[in-house]
Amino acid sequence: QSVLTQPPSVSATPGQKVTISCSGSSFNIANNYVSWYQQLPGTAPKLLIYENNKRPSGIPDRFSGSKSGTSATLGITGLQTGDEADYYCGTWDSSLSAGVFGTGTKVNVV
Amino acid sequence: QLQLQESGPGLVKPSETLSLTCTVSGGSISSRDYYWGWIRQPPGKGLEWIGSIYYSGSTYYNPSLKSRVTISVDTSKNQFSLKLSSVTAADTAVYYCATLPAAVMTPDAWGQGTLVTVSS
């Protein structure tokens, strides 16, 4: 069972904006960096956001991350059909002394 | 840029030990900037963090798997390995190796993953 909670799915039309929440606790999100990953069907996860709000080279600025207290949020603007994928948050849990991932959110572009 | 490649048997019998190796290229596994980790994903399900190791041999394990997991590092081969004992069908998953920057302890670069099926 995942320590971090995400909505199972979000849907929007091309061009719109979606946000994905990741809810945790003082042991994980509140006191550690959050990363976000995109997993296209049949592929390995890909880093989208690290250290809460930084984008690796090559990730478009349509993707953004933020954190407040025990929650983090991924935003995707100008939604494209190619953004249809599963998205996961991840962080360190200081109580478990282990990494933890969110439950995952499927983004549907309808 | 660091690249990782998993290798090992794709089929393991119940009660036996799953063994996988991750080969690192494009950098040294002795780097002080990274931990080296294993993550798995059962078919159709989410990601599960298994554990990580530093070049010095220091490890962190998922508490739910700790009794069955061993992660080791071979700096001479630029590889690190995963052993998971007493496997059952519930351990069937795609297993990924990844780099974990020491400052954040969450994965950045991932291997392509390898499917391990537990079946007799």
Side-chain angles (χ1 to χ4, degrees), chain B residues 8 33 52 54 62 65-66 83 89 101 106 108 118:
Chain B
D33 295 333
S52 63
Y54 200 45
N62 184 327
L65 299 171
K66 188 174 183 177
K83 291 188 185 300
T106 51
D108 55 4
V118 178

Side-chain angles (χ1 to χ4, degrees), chain A:
Chain A
Q1 58 279 26
S2 298
V3 172
L4 307 178
T5 302
Q6 300 178 229
S9 66
V10 295
S11 298
T13 57
Q16 287 192 321
K17 175 181 179 178
V18 296
T19 59
I20 301 170
S21 61
C22 175
S23 179
S25 73
S26 60
F27 296 117
N28 40 67
I29 289 178
N31 290 291
N32 294 287
Y33 285 119
V34 176
S35 296
W36 287 92
Y37 305 91
Q38 177 192 61
Q39 188 176 33
L40 297 168
T43 68
K46 173 185 175 182
L47 181 67
L48 282 182
I49 299 290
Y50 68 101
E51 293 183 13
N52 304 330
N53 55 18
K54 297 179 181 178
R55 284 177 286 106
S57 174
I59 301 299
D61 59 6
R62 299 188 299 107
F63 296 92
S64 64
S66 64
K67 188 180 88 168
S68 179
T70 60
S71 292
T73 301
L74 174 71
I76 311 173
T77 60
L79 202 62
Q80 302 175 0
T81 56
D83 297 331
E84 281 205 330
D86 293 321
Y87 293 81
Y88 294 90
C89 57
T91 187
W92 184 255
D93 190 291
S94 303
S95 172
L96 299 173
S97 290
V100 289
F101 291 103
T103 48
T105 299
K106 182 168 180 54
V107 170
N108 298 299
V109 183
V110 297

